[in-house]
Structure formats: structure tokens, C-alpha cells
Amino acid sequence: DALGHVNNTRYFAWFESARIALFERVGVVTRGPSTVGPILATTTCDFLAPVVFPARLMVSARVTKVGETSLGMAYDVTCATTGKAYARGTSVAVLIDHTTHAKVRVPEAVRAAIAELGPT
């Protein structure tokens, strides 16, 4: 941006990319038709240091809590070469039926896939 560092909105896009990749891995979202999917209920970001070009980043996402109809998540943005921490974030996603807008229970298969990833 005009100040020479990555704009803060970019961090949320990075969180989103990591979240979707994790959701695909555990089966929250699937390729093909489905009326059930996640919506973002809340998200936060703690900015720890500015990211200045050029930078090689690693963005990680993990599930921190599985609720009845929701998934709590945490994110880290770090330098891929030094491990320097640039940001930490959290979010809560709720599963809903997009046709009825009703909340949907997190499926057992998704719970099992998350458990297989190990402790958070």
C-alpha cells in the first residue's frame, strides 16, 4: 500500500485461503453440488509486524474447537524462511443449509477428519 507494507485486508484473504484449504481437507466443503456449507460468523487478526515486499510467507490454519454447529479456528502468518511471526488470527465458522439458512450439525465424518489431524 501507500505506506510500503501489505494492507491489513490482505491478512483476512490469507486466512480465508488457509481456511478453505483446511475445510476441503476435512470435508466441510466438497467439490460438487451441496446445499450445506460454512459461513463466517466472526474473525479477528492481531497484527504483530508489518509484511514488507519481498517476503515469503507461510499461513497456517487449525481447528481449535468443534461445536455443535460451528468450528473455531486459529491462524498464523509467519516468514517462510525465518519463522518471524507477522500475525495471528481467529475465526468461527457456522455450518448452514444455504437453502433454508438453518444451522447444521457438524457431520461425524468431519469431526473424525479433524480428530485425525491431531491436537491443536
Side-chain angles (χ1 to χ4, degrees):
D1 68 8
L3 299 176
H5 55 77
V6 174
N7 186 279
N8 62 351
T9 60
R10 215 46 228 139
Y11 292 77
F12 291 102
W14 295 334
F15 292 171
E16 179 183 32
S17 293
R19 180 173 54 252
I20 290 170
L22 181 58
F23 282 173
E24 288 177 343
R25 183 173 178 183
V26 299
V28 171
V29 293
T30 58
R31 305 224 183 255
S34 176
T35 61
V36 174
I39 59 167
L40 194 59
T42 186
T43 188
T44 67
C45 185
D46 294 325
F47 302 99
L48 306 174
V51 175
V52 179
F53 180 83
R56 291 190 56 213
L57 303 176
M58 181 169 61
V59 181
S60 63
R62 64 191 177 284
V63 176
T64 57
K65 181 181 178 189
V66 179
E68 184 65 22
T69 61
S70 64
L71 298 170
M73 301 186 72
Y75 309 93
D76 292 296
V77 178
T78 58
C79 177
T81 55
T82 67
K84 177 181 178 175
Y86 289 111
R88 283 189 297 262
T90 63
S91 71
V92 175
V94 177
L95 294 184
I96 67 164
D97 182 319
H98 289 286
T99 57
T100 65
H101 304 287
K103 292 180 183 179
V104 175
R105 186 174 194 282
V106 177
E108 291 304 322
V110 170
R111 293 170 185 272
I114 292 168
E116 285 181 21
L117 295 177
T120 60

